[in-house]
Amino acid sequence: MSTVKEAVEVEVPVHTAYDQWTQFEEFPNFMEGVEEVRQLDDRHNHWVTKIGGVRREFDTEIVDQLPDERITWRSTTGETQQKGMVRFQRVDDTHTRVELVMDVEPSGAAEKAGDMLGMIDRRVKGDMRRFKEFIEQRGDESGAWRGRIKPG
């Protein structure tokens, strides 16, 4: 399993960064290889990705969500196993540090080779950079979900 960590500082208040991240169906706007995310309910999302010509579908479950602080998830179906957390830290009134930590277990020879070459790490770095550009250009979130999901 590979662990990927990346952080960016975005020029928006913490609530704006957090609220935008809760808009999972907007992920294809800044995540490379993500074709679709469909929110099934407050806890579950269905993903469609196409990376290196390989199309995958899988479901994720949010296991912990605390507004303006963190969202933790894990995959529940599909060939690629992953879990992760995104944290939001207020820097000041107009800046937020967004940190993503993901554990990914690639499946298939091509994905494992790509992981060894650092492709997952580069993809996540690019996604975080694109999130920064996306939210700063908007200046405002496209929606929000402020509910609390507790582990267990």
Side-chain angles (χ1 to χ4, degrees), residues 38-52:
R38 193 169 62 249
Q39 190 161 0
L40 305 174
D41 59 33
D42 290 346
R43 281 189 181 264
H44 300 94
N45 294 300
H46 180 77
W47 294 65
V48 179
T49 63
K50 188 172 184 181
I51 299 170

Side-chain angles (χ1 to χ4, degrees), residues 23 35-36 38 44 92 100 106 113 115 118 151:
Q23 302 307 292
E35 292 188 339
E36 177 186 13
R38 193 169 62 249
H44 300 94
D92 60 32
L100 177 68
D115 181 35

Side-chain angles (χ1 to χ4, degrees), residues 106-124:
S107 60
E111 290 167 322
K112 289 178 182 177
D115 181 35
M116 290 177 64
L117 295 170
M119 291 178 68
I120 294 173
D121 190 57
R122 284 192 300 277
R123 184 175 304 269
V124 168

Side-chain angles (χ1 to χ4, degrees), residues 15-27 29-30 131 134-135 138-145:
H15 68 86
T16 301
Y18 173 85
D19 287 350
Q20 184 59 56
W21 200 278
T22 67
Q23 302 307 292
F24 304 111
E25 293 182 355
E26 296 281 339
F27 282 7
N29 290 317
F30 58 87
F131 175 73
F134 180 79
I135 191 62
R138 285 189 60 85
D140 213 353
E141 62 271 29
S142 62
W145 189 76

Side-chain angles (χ1 to χ4, degrees), residues 124-144:
V124 168
K125 286 181 188 321
D127 290 346
M128 294 297 284
R129 186 182 65 249
R130 285 185 293 276
F131 175 73
K132 174 181 173 60
E133 293 166 1
F134 180 79
I135 191 62
E136 288 179 356
Q137 285 175 0
R138 285 189 60 85
D140 213 353
E141 62 271 29
S142 62

Side-chain angles (χ1 to χ4, degrees), residues 46-90:
H46 180 77
W47 294 65
V48 179
T49 63
K50 188 172 184 181
I51 299 170
V54 178
R55 189 172 192 270
R56 297 265 191 247
E57 293 195 38
F58 59 95
D59 294 320
T60 58
E61 175 186 30
I62 297 168
V63 294
D64 184 22
Q65 185 166 341
L66 181 60
D68 297 340
E69 287 192 28
R70 67 181 173 273
I71 302 170
T72 305
W73 75 94
R74 65 183 176 96
S75 60
T76 57
T77 67
E79 295 178 45
T80 302
Q81 295 299 307
Q82 63 169 269
K83 61 183 177 178
M85 177 173 19
V86 61
R87 289 182 187 262
F88 303 86
Q89 180 181 19
R90 180 186 180 278

